Each structure stands twice: as structure tokens, then as C-alpha cells.
Amino acid sequence: MHTVKQSNFTTWFKSGSPWVWMNAGAVAIAVIMTLGLLILIAVRGLSHFWPADIVEAEYTIPGQPAITLLGEVTTREQVPTERLQGAGLPVDPEQNEFMDRELLKVGNRDLYGADFRWIVADWLSNERYPEDVIAIERREWGNFYGYLLSVSHDGEVVAEGEQAIDALQAAVERASGIYDEIHSLETGAIGKINTELERLRLRERGYELDNALTADRQAELEAERAVQNARYAELESELVDLYREFNRDSIMTRAMDGQEKRISLSAIVRVFQPNAMGITDKIGHYFAKLWEFVSDEPREANTEGGVFPAIFGTVLMVLLMSIIVTPFGVLAAVYLREYAKQGFVTRTIRIAVNNLAGVPSIVYGVFGLGFFIYFLGGNIDQLFFREALPSPTLGTGGMLWASLTLALLTVPVVIVATEEGLTRIPRSLREGSLALGATKAETLWKVILPMSSPAMMTGLILAVARAAGEVAPLMLVGVVKLAPTLPLNANYPYLHLDQKFMHLGFHIYDVGFQSPNVEAARPLVYATALLLVGVIASLNFAAVAIRNHLREKYKALEN
């Protein structure tokens, strides 16, 4: 009996079934870990936008007078009592080995110096959730938590008490509308005028360098400059009126310690009363914050507002990189597979291509900085943009050099994937095409490349997946913490490849590790990471859909 069981086990082992089950288990574990990581990122990131209730309580540290605290509880954890004692708190480790502590977002950074405060939960008492407490999102100094006392227009009180909140909401909507007008005017019409004035300055400087600034040209430039200045004067007058209206209203508030503070409505983004909001109102507020996150510009050192410029920069850079890398990668693969003599040199080139795929990305960043920016960009500036010197045009980091650097980084992936696709095409198809009278070039263009297009798309998918999340090389060749304008806008030449840009990967690094307000930045790191995963997944899904369509289209020919 024992021999039979041993024989069955040996047969089962030799059949390869254990390895199949082992691989299946490894894949299942990897999928579970990936889903778990995504769920963790989603929970910690998306929960940040929910309007949490604001608690008011008395906080009494033993041996000190009680104080009133007001804010949102963002984190709860258990910590060893010895750790609290080491922080200077009057606790006794012999009585309690662990104690609960909470991270309270008290806001009001302009009053207290910090948005967050760690407190010991056991020392809180008389916790309550007053419905009239307000949360104010501001353009600077973070959130303000407190009570609304009055609303003023031009210094005159127009609403107090229970009527003040309704008057405030109407005034905030009015101020937000004016802010949008100001932003549109400054970035649109006035921005276009500034661009035209700078272009005129560069034209004049170019004429001077060429000793070609004649009286007629000078008069022409002055006439054009006068037109732009006149238009600017009109817009400036309109802008002054808008700012006067924008700064007209203000409110008087009271903080948790009794301090009264006047806040101009020009500094307010949103006002809400979380303790008085029902579930429907909170859901509406939640999705409004989500929309702001993906559609608005950042503020407060990137710890508030949205990340739209970073989304735009990431997608545009990946698209430009794809446009650059695909033809070069495909041409290299076609030459190596279809035209190059298969021998020692070709094998050496293939080994070099495979090795390039393993080079650390920061090395590509250093190469991009030295070759693309300092050498190519610097020489192009000397040849074509002398009038702008010493300010560099292409001799500094920008969208073009970032896209080229990432194209260089990912071209080995496209070459290898395309070669694999070319290898799988049956030789009979090539011979049949040639036998019917087609040239080698026609065979390549009309038979080989269309049938290998799914493999090209596979290479592009892998390239996008790698390039979209790269940060290290981009820090050297064009990405910045905050870009004043988008690299694609309404100003001629519309696509500004010389302009620096924002990137989701660098945004995560900046917010997570360079922010002066770590606690406020932490949930945004998770939210931005989830968004980056979503952007990469969307780009990949689009490429996969195209690949599957091509695969179905040419499946009949393969069969």
C-alpha cells in the first residue's frame, strides 16, 4: 500500500502538477497583494475628501488648566506610555502600559502656528458636536475652524446670528465668481498681451544683434507695442475694478480659544457646517472636492486644491514620448530582423539593447541633462534664439527634453517587443508576397508591419507603463514643483515644448517628502498615487484595446 502511494506521488510530481499549482498560488498571492495595496491607497486617499464632523471638547493635561479644543479627528492610535513620558507628558507607565492618542486637525495655522495637534484621548472631556461650528477652506493658511459672528459689506455689518450663514454662502458664491473672472483675465487676455510684448522685445533684440534695427522697423515695433499697451491699460482698469469688488466683503469669526478674527472673502474658497450636514449634503460635498482635486490648480504648497496641471503634464509627456519612441523602436527592430546580416555584430547590438533596458533611470536623466539640454539645447539657443540669451530657451529643462529622455529610456522595450512580433510572422507569408510580385519594401509595408502591429502595441504598452511612473530622470530634465502655465495653451505656438511642466510622480515626491506640512500632505500622497495608477491604467487600457483590435483584424492572415 505504501509503495502504491509513493508511486502515485512520484507520478503526480513528475507530471508537473505541483509546479502548476505553485505558479497558480504565486499568481493568486500577487493579485491579492496588488488589490490589497490599491484598496489601502484608495481608502486612505479618498477618505480625505469626506467632510468629517468637528468635535469640541475640554482638554485637561494633569496639573494644567483645561483648554477648549475644536477640530477634526484624523488619526487614532495606541502608543506606549513610555513614549508619551519621553515627550514630556505627565503619565505613569506603571499604571498604563499603552494609552490612546488622537491627531486633531485644529486648523487656524495663522493663529496657532500648526494645523495639527496630538492629544491624549483619556484627557478629553465634555465632547460635543455643535451644529453652528463652521469650517472655512482658505487660499492661504489652511482651514479655519470656529464660529461665524457677522458678515460685512464694505465694513458695514449686514448679517449676524443665524442669518449670517446664509448671507455668507451667497457672498462666497459671488466672490468665487469674481475670482474666476480675475483668473480668466490674468491667464487669458493679459497673459496673451504679455506674450506678445515679450515677442516684440525679442524681435527688437534680434534686429539689434543683426545690426538691422532701422527707423522703419523701430517705428513698426513701437506701433505694435502701443496697441498692446493700450489694450493692457483697458484690461488693467477692468482688473482693478474686479479686485475692488473681490475684496469688498469680509466676515468676523471666533476661534476655539475665544480669539476674534476678520477674514476677507477673497481668501475663502468654501464654507460649510459639517456637523449640520445630512448624508446627502456630505455626499455632494465629497464629489465636489473630488472634482476640485482632478480639475483645479494646487495651492498651499501643493497640499490643497487640485492636481490638474500634473495630470495634464503627465499625459502630454507620455503621448509625446510614445510618438517619439514608436517609430525609432520599430525602425530599429525592422532593420535588425529584416535587413541586417545575422552575425556577431547583430548579436552584439541585441545584447547592448537588452542591457540598455536594465540601466538605472537616473543615468538616462544625467545623459539627458548633459546631451539634450547642455549640448543640443545650448547650441540651438546660440543658433536660433540668440535674442533671448542669456535666458535659455531650449538650453534648460522642458517638455521636449523630458519626452526625449524617456523615449531613450523605453526604446529598448519597443525594439525587443517588435522583434518578437516580427519573428512570429510565418516565412511563407513573406515568400508568398514576393512570389506575387511585391518588392521587399512593399512586403514589409503591407504585410509584415501590419501583422506585427499587435507586438508593437505590446512594446508601447510596456513603455508607457515604465515611463509614466518615472521621477528621477524628470527631476533633471524638466519637471518642476509648480508650473505657472500649461505647456499647451491658447498662446502661439500653442504647444510650448520648451516649457517646464508638472508631473504626478514628482508631485507625490514633493508633497510626501518636501512639504513643510507633513500631516496635511500625507492623505494627498495616497490620493495622488491612486490617481497616477488610474492614469497609467487608462493609457494602458486604451493601448490594449487598440492591440486587441489589430490582433483580431490580422488573425485570419496568421491562420
Side-chain angles (χ1 to χ4, degrees):
M1 187 70 178
H2 177 71
T3 304
V4 174
K5 288 183 177 180
Q6 187 175 8
S7 176
N8 291 336
F9 176 79
T10 303
T11 303
W12 176 73
F13 187 81
K14 290 182 177 180
S15 69
S17 296
W19 308 112
V20 174
W21 283 102
M22 186 180 298
N23 286 329
V27 171
I29 292 172
V31 170
I32 292 172
M33 292 177 65
T34 302
L35 290 177
L37 178 61
L38 290 176
I39 291 172
L40 174 66
I41 294 174
V43 169
R44 295 199 173 184
L46 297 179
S47 61
H48 169 69
F49 304 106
W50 186 259
D53 290 339
I54 299 175
V55 62
E56 184 177 32
E58 308 303 323
Y59 185 59
T60 307
I61 300 177
Q64 298 182 18
I67 60 174
T68 300
L69 292 181
L70 185 71
E72 302 176 16
V73 177
T74 60
T75 304
R76 292 183 177 89
E77 63 180 18
Q78 272 196 339
V79 295
T81 309
E82 293 181 354
R83 182 176 170 185
L84 297 177
Q85 187 181 42
L89 295 177
V91 295
D92 187 358
E94 296 182 358
Q95 292 183 357
N96 296 302
E97 184 177 356
F98 292 92
M99 295 185 72
D100 294 330
R101 72 170 185 171
E102 298 176 343
L103 182 62
L104 194 68
K105 184 178 181 180
V106 296
N108 305 13
R109 189 166 70 246
D110 48 341
L111 297 179
Y112 310 131
D115 294 87
F116 293 84
R117 178 172 180 175
W118 283 105
I119 59 174
V120 178
D122 294 341
W123 296 345
L124 282 178
S125 61
N126 192 23
E127 297 183 27
R128 53 200 179 274
Y129 295 87
E131 293 189 354
D132 57 339
V133 67
I134 62 171
I136 302 176
E137 293 182 20
R138 298 182 288 181
R139 305 189 193 281
E140 295 180 350
W141 300 108
N143 286 4
F144 180 90
Y145 299 121
Y147 294 92
L148 177 63
L149 300 180
S150 63
V151 179
S152 299
H153 292 175
D154 284 329
E156 181 180 348
V157 176
V158 296
E160 292 180 301
E162 296 181 357
Q163 291 76 31
I165 187 64
D166 294 331
L168 174 58
Q169 294 290 5
V172 168
E173 290 182 10
R174 170 185 173 276
S176 297
I178 297 175
Y179 175 82
D180 292 338
E181 291 184 43
I182 292 173
H183 185 265
S184 176
L185 195 62
E186 290 179 337
T187 59
I190 292 180
K192 190 172 184 178
I193 290 174
N194 289 332
T195 301
E196 290 298 326
L197 289 173
E198 177 64 13
R199 188 172 289 114
L200 291 173
R201 186 190 71 81
L202 293 178
R203 280 177 56 191
E204 183 177 19
R205 175 62 178 161
Y207 289 147
E208 291 175 351
L209 291 174
D210 296 333
N211 294 320
L213 185 60
T214 62
D216 291 340
R217 284 176 173 171
Q218 182 70 53
E220 179 185 354
L221 291 172
E222 290 298 332
E224 293 183 22
R225 191 176 286 117
V227 172
Q228 298 297 332
N229 286 331
R231 177 60 178 155
Y232 182 83
E234 295 177 7
L235 295 176
E236 186 179 29
S237 175
E238 183 180 347
L239 194 62
V240 169
D241 293 337
L242 285 173
Y243 268 112
R244 186 182 300 111
E245 290 296 312
F246 189 45
N247 295 312
R248 186 194 72 177
D249 301 336
S250 64
I251 60 174
M252 182 63 71
T253 60
R254 187 180 74 248
M256 64 186 183
D257 59 356
Q259 292 187 62
E260 293 188 358
K261 179 175 179 59
R262 182 170 295 279
I263 302 175
S264 173
L265 261 68
S266 61
I268 295 176
V269 177
R270 184 182 289 107
V271 177
F272 57 101
Q273 294 178 299
N275 295 348
M277 296 169 68
I279 187 65
T280 303
D281 295 331
K282 288 194 173 186
I283 291 174
H285 178 95
Y286 178 77
F287 283 104
K289 289 285 292 180
L290 272 180
W291 176 247
E292 178 190 61
F293 180 66
V294 299
S295 65
D296 207 351
E297 298 178 354
R299 60 178 189 272
E300 287 282 328
N302 290 346
T303 60
E304 296 288 346
V307 292
F308 177 75
I311 299 173
F312 191 92
T314 302
V315 174
L316 182 59
M317 182 204 67
V318 169
L319 291 178
L320 289 175
M321 180 274 299
S322 302
I323 293 172
I324 295 169
V325 75
T326 302
F328 281 99
V330 170
L331 287 174
V334 167
Y335 176 78
L336 290 173
R337 177 56 57 183
E338 301 293 330
Y339 289 96
K341 183 179 179 180
Q342 303 302 311
F344 174 76
V345 175
T346 306
R347 288 196 300 270
T348 303
I349 293 174
R350 286 197 178 95
I351 292 172
V353 168
N354 290 329
N355 288 338
L356 280 175
V359 173
S361 60
I362 189 64
V363 176
Y364 287 97
V366 173
F367 176 82
L369 178 65
F371 181 72
F372 290 137
I373 296 178
Y374 291 158
F375 179 71
L376 280 183
N379 286 317
I380 290 173
D381 281 353
Q382 291 289 342
L383 290 173
F384 301 105
F385 301 103
R386 291 182 304 149
E387 63 276 8
L389 294 174
S391 297
T393 302
L394 290 175
T396 184
M399 177 65 73
L400 175 62
W401 304 135
S403 300
L404 282 172
T405 301
L406 290 187
L408 190 64
L409 185 149
T410 55
V411 72
V413 177
V414 178
I415 293 175
V416 172
T418 304
E419 267 207 274
E420 290 296 324
L422 294 171
T423 304
R424 290 197 298 268
I425 297 175
R427 184 178 181 83
S428 59
L429 287 176
R430 293 179 172 86
E431 294 173 348
S433 176
L434 294 172
L436 291 172
T439 63
K440 187 172 183 178
E442 289 173 336
T443 300
L444 178 67
W445 185 253
K446 295 184 178 181
V447 178
I448 306 301
L449 288 181
M451 291 190 63
S452 61
S453 56
M456 299 177 197
M457 291 304 302
T458 299
L460 183 59
I461 291 168
L462 296 174
V464 168
R466 182 176 182 189
E470 286 292 348
V471 176
L474 298 180
M475 294 170 66
L476 301 176
V477 293
V479 75
V480 290
K481 176 187 178 75
L482 187 63
T485 58
L486 296 176
L488 180 66
N489 54 44
N491 295 328
Y492 181 83
Y494 312 118
L495 179 60
H496 305 273
L497 295 179
D498 60 314
Q499 188 169 303
K500 291 180 172 59
F501 64 101
M502 296 180 67
H503 185 271
L504 285 172
F506 182 77
H507 188 81
I508 294 170
Y509 164 76
D510 175 68
V511 172
F513 301 99
Q514 303 296 312
S515 174
N517 197 347
V518 177
E519 299 297 343
R522 183 176 292 117
L524 287 180
V525 171
Y526 289 103
T528 309
L530 181 65
L531 188 58
L532 178 59
V533 172
V535 169
I536 296 175
S538 299
L539 292 171
N540 282 338
F541 284 148
V544 168
I546 297 173
R547 182 189 64 183
N548 291 341
H549 172 73
L550 294 172
R551 185 173 290 166
E552 291 296 325
K553 182 177 180 180
Y554 298 109
K555 183 182 293 184
L557 290 176
E558 294 180 1
N559 295 333

